[in-house]
């Protein structure tokens, strides 16, 4: 009885030492490394694209989280890692606030703090869940994968810088055609966690390296180029800096650039694309300009971005005009940017100085009602305006398969360091996921034509004006991901977490039985 009492006292004392968010002084130095590991993992994204370094950093973070004891400790470690990850990868979020610094510039420091700490809460949830499942490093990888799905879908969603996007510059991007971005994120996190998942480090590391090799080799085979094309498309980039774009004295200069690029001799150009907000006028005021655009194009339809109004509602729209300058198609942006293109309770927020960064008034834009395909000379195009490209599910909202994806955007809001390149990174994933070419016209860049295998066929660099004429590739057959979406991956994640939970609960019981038999 005496020995039993001492053992119980020891357990009570141990629980007292581990009851706080940190499990003891021996682990605190590991927690201090968590933000650093998250920050280094962010180097896997554009403009660095250092995916091997990102994998190593994710392995380090898996070790830190797995070595913490208890759900609260794991949540703290994961949250710190997430803060480092999002602070570095999403630092460009401050750029829009300095376009018009007299208005929202004071909000910039709060924006990056809010974004980094707020999105890191999803990682904290994953850390806590991994503690509840008791699955160690693999439980952490599966929990974080599920948390990233939630981040991409809850509260309108923001699936920017998913861990799976580190493969953009490698053939492994083709994995998205099978399992989508969330499935590739899951594979990435599981492979990075393998080296710390068991005591057999060498074997586990070799398995992880083999998995990476299979992803890359399989993607290289799937990236076989196609020589089939449907016609030539011209992509125009005016390079209008955001702080000058609406200046009455400068607006005519940018408009002239687009007209000259449209009128330049071409190689039987079938369609011309201008970027988002290409006109300095509302659609109802642009009649004479539309005629000039049609004359410049030599009869080829022109697709462009413009504001339009319907009663008291304002829309961010994509419009196509025919050879006579008349409007043939209109698409109103469906997925607006919260606190960018609209502000909840906008009228009230405007009174205290809070306005949408890209909105013209406190109320901002109205959302369109549906995603419908646009008929063009090169086939049916699925329209995407700027921010909509970051959502894999946007493509499925049309209800039918397109021949190609068409994005117009104004990335001048995103600065010149990482934002525009990360946006392009996600556009390449959309092309791979659907097996469709993607045409992208950006105000300041990067404008590009992307093949259905995610490779850039031609592009205009950031900060330059001009145009490119590119033969548009034919679409590939519908991919596995295009037919199934994210549901299979989500179900497999839930089943995997349930299996990890069951195994983690079964092993201690069997170990206890063996120890009793030994006694």
């Amino acid at each position: 009885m005496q020995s039993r009492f001492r053992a119980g006292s020891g357990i009570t004392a141990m629980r007292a030492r581990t009851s706080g968010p940190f499990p003891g002084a021996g682990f605190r130095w590991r927690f201090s490394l968590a933000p650093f590991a998250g920050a280094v993992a962010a180097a896997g994204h554009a403009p660095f694209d250092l995916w091997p370094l990102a994998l190593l950093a994710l392995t380090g973070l898996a070790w830190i989280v797995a070595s913490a004891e208890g759900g609260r400790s794991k949540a703290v470690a994961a949250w710190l890692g997430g803060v480092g990850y999002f602070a570095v990868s999403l630092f460009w979020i401050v750029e829009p606030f300095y376009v018009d610094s007299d208005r929202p510039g004071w909000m910039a420091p709060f924006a990056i703090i809010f974004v980094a700490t707020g999105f890191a809460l999803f990682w904290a949830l994953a850390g806590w869940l991994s503690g509840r499942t008791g699955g160690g490093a693999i439980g952490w990888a599966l929990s974080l994968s599920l948390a990233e799905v939630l981040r991409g879908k809850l509260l309108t969603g923001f699936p920017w810088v998913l861990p799976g996007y580190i493969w953009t510059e490698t053939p492994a991007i083709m994995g998205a055609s099978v399992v989508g971005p969330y499935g590739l994120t899951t594979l990435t996190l599981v492979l990075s966690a393998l080296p710390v998942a068991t005591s057999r480090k060498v074997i586990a590391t070799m398995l992880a390296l083999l998995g990476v090799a299979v992803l890359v080799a399989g993607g290289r085979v799937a990236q076989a180029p196609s020589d089939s094309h449907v016609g030539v498309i011209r992509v125009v980039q005016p390079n209008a800096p955001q702080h000058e774009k609406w200046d009455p004295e400068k607006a005519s200069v940018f408009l002239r650039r687009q007209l000259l690029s449209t009128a330049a001799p071409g190689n039987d150009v079938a369609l011309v694309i201008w970027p988002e907000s290409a006109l300095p006028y509302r659609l109802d005021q642009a009649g004479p300009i539309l005629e000039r655009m049609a004359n410049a194009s030599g009869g080829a339809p022109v697709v462009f971005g413009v504001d339009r109004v319907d009663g008291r509602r304002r829309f961010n729209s994509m419009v196509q005009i025919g050879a006579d300058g008349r409007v043939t198609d209109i698409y109103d942006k469906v997925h607006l940017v919260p606190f960018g293109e609209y502000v909840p309770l906008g009228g009230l927020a405007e009174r205290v100085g809070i306005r949408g960064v890209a909105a013209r008034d406190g109320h901002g834009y109205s959302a369109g009602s549906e995603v419908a395909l646009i008929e063009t000379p090169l086939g049916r195009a699925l329209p995407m305006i700027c921010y909509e490209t970051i959502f894999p599910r946007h493509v499925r909202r049309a209800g039918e398969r397109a021949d190609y994806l068409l994005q117009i955007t104004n990335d001048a809001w995103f600065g010149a360091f990482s934002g525009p390149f990360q946006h392009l990174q996600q556009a390449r994933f959309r092309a791979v996921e659907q097996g469709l070419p993607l045409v992208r016209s950006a105000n300041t860049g990067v404008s590009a034509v992307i093949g259905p295998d995610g490779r850039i066929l031609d592009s205009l660099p950031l900060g330059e004006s001009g145009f490119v004429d590119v033969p548009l590739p034919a679409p590939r057959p519908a991919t596995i991901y295009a037919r199934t979406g994210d549901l299979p991956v989500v179900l497999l994640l839930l089943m995997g977490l349930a299996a990890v939970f069951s195994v983690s609960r079964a092993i201690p019981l069997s170990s206890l039985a063996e120890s009793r038999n030994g006694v």
Side-chain angles (χ1 to χ4, degrees):
M1 292 296 293
Q2 184 177 4
S3 62
R4 184 177 298 177
F5 175 79
R6 289 177 180 174
S9 299
I11 292 173
T12 302
M14 181 179 68
R15 287 177 177 170
R17 289 194 300 270
T18 61
S19 61
F22 294 98
F27 286 92
R28 291 183 182 178
W29 67 273
R30 301 184 190 181
F31 284 115
S32 67
L33 293 176
F36 176 75
V40 174
H45 298 290
F48 307 106
D49 297 309
L50 300 175
W51 63 269
L53 188 61
L55 283 178
L56 287 174
L58 289 172
T59 299
L61 186 59
W63 171 69
I64 293 170
V65 174
S67 63
E69 297 181 7
R72 284 182 295 177
S73 298
K74 292 179 186 293
V76 171
W79 181 79
L80 291 171
V83 169
Y85 181 81
F86 292 113
V88 172
S89 61
L90 297 180
F91 186 76
W92 59 265
I93 205 75
V94 305
E95 296 283 355
F97 295 95
Y98 292 111
V99 171
D100 183 3
S101 58
D102 291 337
R103 183 171 56 177
W106 61 270
M107 297 173 61
F110 300 98
I112 186 60
I113 293 172
F114 174 79
V115 164
T117 58
F119 288 144
L121 291 175
F122 286 96
W123 288 36
L125 174 64
W128 175 84
L129 182 60
S130 69
R132 298 296 296 176
T133 60
I138 297 299
W140 155 249
L142 297 177
S143 297
L144 183 55
S145 299
L146 184 60
E148 287 294 87
V149 174
L150 296 176
R151 181 168 69 89
K153 297 181 182 296
L154 292 182
L155 301 176
T156 78
F158 191 69
W160 201 287
V161 293
L162 295 174
Y165 289 159
I166 67 173
W167 303 106
T168 306
E169 295 296 336
T170 76
I173 188 177
M174 294 303 295
S177 66
V178 179
V179 295
Y182 298 113
L184 197 52
T185 289
T186 301
L187 290 174
T188 302
L189 295 174
V190 170
L191 289 174
S192 66
L194 271 179
V196 296
T198 72
S199 58
R200 299 181 178 181
K201 307 298 183 187
V202 174
I203 295 177
T205 301
M206 291 179 64
L207 286 175
L209 293 175
L210 178 62
V212 171
V214 169
L215 274 177
V216 173
R220 184 171 287 114
V221 172
Q223 271 189 326
S226 173
D227 296 328
S228 177
H229 302 95
V230 297
V232 177
I233 194 165
R234 172 169 294 184
V235 182
V236 175
Q237 180 172 297
N239 189 33
Q242 190 59 39
H243 66 283
E244 298 178 350
K245 184 173 179 61
W246 303 111
D247 185 335
E249 296 181 0
K250 300 286 183 65
S252 60
V253 174
F254 305 134
L255 180 59
R256 190 180 309 116
R257 285 181 187 174
Q258 294 174 110
L259 289 170
L260 290 174
S261 293
T262 302
N267 302 311
D268 299 322
V269 173
L271 182 66
V272 180
I273 311 298
W274 288 17
E276 179 186 15
S277 301
L279 300 187
Y281 316 101
R282 298 197 317 254
L283 181 60
D284 61 303
Q285 302 170 334
I289 299 298
L290 300 186
E291 294 179 8
R292 293 175 62 187
M293 293 167 63
N295 291 334
S297 71
V302 181
V303 174
F304 59 97
V306 65
D307 282 9
R308 78 175 192 92
V309 295
D310 184 0
R312 299 183 62 182
R313 303 175 71 194
R314 181 187 292 268
F315 297 92
N316 184 358
S317 303
M318 178 189 294
V319 173
Q320 180 178 229
I321 58 172
D324 57 0
R326 294 184 180 180
V327 173
T328 59
D329 294 275
I330 295 177
Y331 165 70
D332 298 322
K333 187 175 182 181
V334 169
H335 202 140
L336 301 176
V337 183
F339 299 99
E341 293 174 308
Y342 77 98
V343 177
L345 302 176
L348 177 61
E350 186 182 17
R351 295 181 182 179
V352 296
I354 299 177
R355 297 176 61 183
V357 173
R360 300 297 184 81
D361 54 49
H363 300 280
Y365 292 104
S366 297
S369 59
E370 63 176 349
V371 179
L373 303 185
I374 295 176
E375 294 287 345
T376 76
L378 300 179
R380 298 186 303 171
L382 187 138
M384 299 183 291
I385 300 179
C386 192
Y387 180 72
E388 292 178 320
T389 309
I390 77 172
F391 298 97
R393 66 181 183 272
H394 177 81
V395 180
R396 304 177 67 84
R397 296 184 68 168
E400 52 184 330
R401 181 170 168 80
D403 296 308
Y404 66 101
L405 307 177
L406 178 56
Q407 180 195 17
I408 59 173
T409 184
N410 180 19
D411 287 2
W413 290 105
F414 299 163
F417 180 59
S418 61
F421 300 104
Q422 291 175 2
H423 202 197
L424 174 65
Q425 186 180 54
Q426 294 169 90
R428 295 172 68 180
F429 259 78
R430 301 296 86 82
V432 170
E433 291 159 10
Q434 300 298 321
L436 297 175
L438 185 146
V439 179
R440 184 177 202 266
S441 178
N443 174 32
T444 55
V446 178
S447 298
V449 175
I450 301 166
D453 58 1
R455 287 186 284 197
I456 296 176
L457 303 179
D458 204 348
S459 65
L460 286 160
L462 185 69
E464 294 186 12
S465 61
F467 69 91
V468 290
D469 291 345
V470 186
L472 185 67
R476 290 185 172 186
T479 64
I480 294 175
Y481 177 73
R483 294 193 294 265
T484 63
D486 296 317
L487 183 59
V489 170
V490 173
L491 292 177
L492 287 174
L493 278 174
L494 294 174
M495 292 170 60
L497 284 170
V500 165
F501 179 79
S502 299
V503 171
S504 67
R505 290 299 180 269
I507 289 177
L509 290 175
S510 61
S511 300
L512 180 60
E514 290 175 3
S515 64
R516 286 178 178 174
N517 292 333
V519 174

